[in-house]
């Protein structure tokens, strides 16, 4: 019975990520199809519409928007819908949470060379990402920091979240790692297929 349970857990460990990935892709395909299919049918007619055309056009639109953000004026234009949503009482919280979660997972919100190894009392070492330094005008968190202190985010494994701590610069060592790689490494608890990363910079 115990061995059968172990086999079950191992099987679920293989199947669940695959099933969740397929479910997410299926949801995305169905959603995009429901949005863009009527538009394409209106343009070319139902007889000429091919399944999947809506999703391909969605990817094309995403590439076009990403390319057009190179120009500041166009980038500000694409930012307008988000700015409008942020003014709506209920949707602003949801939109802000989703945006911050995506930025956090991708490491977009962090500057280069901000990944550090934090040493805590008891020789406990944690991978963190510097979020704020002192001296930033108009920033509330920066105003709380002494010149020799920094604010560091300590991501949590298997969770979108973490702890923000304020530590002395003597307690941190820079790591030669991008913020996105650091997020992936810590969130997966190092169990994923992560790239080999140097210990720290001299």
């Amino acid at each position: 019975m115990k061995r059968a349970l172990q086999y079950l857990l191992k099987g679920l460990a293989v199947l669940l990520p695959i099933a969740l990935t397929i479910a997410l892709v299926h949801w995305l395909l169905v959603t995009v199809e429901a949005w863009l299919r009527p538009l394409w049918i209106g343009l070319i007619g139902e007889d000429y519409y091919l399944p999947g055309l809506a999703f391909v056009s969605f990817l094309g639109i995403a590439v076009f928007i990403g390319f057009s953000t190179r120009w500041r004026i166009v980038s500000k234009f694409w930012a307008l819908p988000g700015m409008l949503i942020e003014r709506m009482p209920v949707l602003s919280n949801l939109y802000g949470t989703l945006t911050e979660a995506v930025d956090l997972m991708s490491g977009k919100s962090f500057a280069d060379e901000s990944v550090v190894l934090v040493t805590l009392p008891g020789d406990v070492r944690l991978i963190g990402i510097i979020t704020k330094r002192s001296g930033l005008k108009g920033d509330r968190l920066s105003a709380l920091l002494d010149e020799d202190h920094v604010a560091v985010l300590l991501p949590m494994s298997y969770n979108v979240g973490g702890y923000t701590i304020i530590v002395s610069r003597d307690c941190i060592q820079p790591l030669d790692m991008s913020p996105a790689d650091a997020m992936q490494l810590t969130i997966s608890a190092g169990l994923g297929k992560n790239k080999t990363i140097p210990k720290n910079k001299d």
Side-chain angles (χ1 to χ4, degrees):
M1 183 64 183
K2 183 177 180 181
R3 181 168 294 182
L5 180 60
Q6 291 177 347
Y7 290 152
L8 173 63
L9 293 177
K10 289 181 179 180
L12 290 176
V14 174
L15 291 176
L16 284 180
I18 297 174
L20 291 175
T21 301
I22 293 175
L24 180 60
V25 172
H26 178 266
W27 171 83
L28 181 61
L29 289 172
V30 171
T31 302
V32 172
E33 187 77 10
W35 286 352
L36 297 181
R37 186 174 185 273
L39 178 61
W40 275 108
I41 291 178
L43 291 174
I44 63 177
E46 190 169 0
D47 294 336
Y48 296 97
Y49 179 81
L50 298 176
L53 182 59
F55 185 72
V56 173
S57 63
F58 174 77
L59 295 180
I61 293 172
V63 171
F64 171 75
I65 292 176
F67 178 79
S68 65
T69 55
R70 298 188 308 167
W71 296 287
R72 183 175 300 178
I73 296 178
V74 180
S75 180
K76 290 182 178 180
F77 172 77
W78 292 123
L80 286 177
M83 295 174 62
L84 293 176
I85 294 176
E86 288 177 348
R87 294 179 179 273
M88 300 179 183
V90 178
L91 293 180
S92 60
N93 294 331
L94 178 60
Y95 176 79
T97 301
L98 292 175
T99 301
E100 290 174 2
V102 172
D103 289 346
L104 184 65
M105 293 292 292
S106 64
K108 178 181 177 182
S109 301
F110 306 109
D112 293 335
E113 299 182 356
S114 59
V115 181
V116 293
L117 188 67
V118 182
T119 302
L120 299 180
D123 200 26
V124 177
R125 299 182 182 183
L126 303 170
I127 295 177
I129 305 173
I130 296 177
T131 59
K132 282 293 185 300
R133 294 178 171 86
S134 62
L136 299 178
K137 296 182 179 181
D139 189 277
R140 289 186 296 176
L141 181 55
S142 179
L144 298 175
L145 302 176
D146 296 331
E147 186 176 352
D148 59 341
H149 283 73
V150 293
V152 180
L153 168 68
L154 302 178
M156 298 174 63
S157 298
Y158 295 101
N159 194 1
V160 181
Y163 297 96
T164 300
I165 62 174
I166 297 176
V167 295
S168 171
R169 294 180 183 271
D170 298 336
C171 300
I172 60 175
Q173 294 177 326
L175 292 179
D176 188 11
M177 189 188 316
S178 70
D181 288 340
M183 292 296 300
Q184 180 182 359
L185 179 65
T186 52
I187 290 178
S188 66
L191 297 177
K193 295 181 180 179
N194 300 292
K195 299 178 181 179
T196 302
I197 300 169
K199 290 184 179 181
N200 58 269
K201 298 179 180 178
D202 295 333

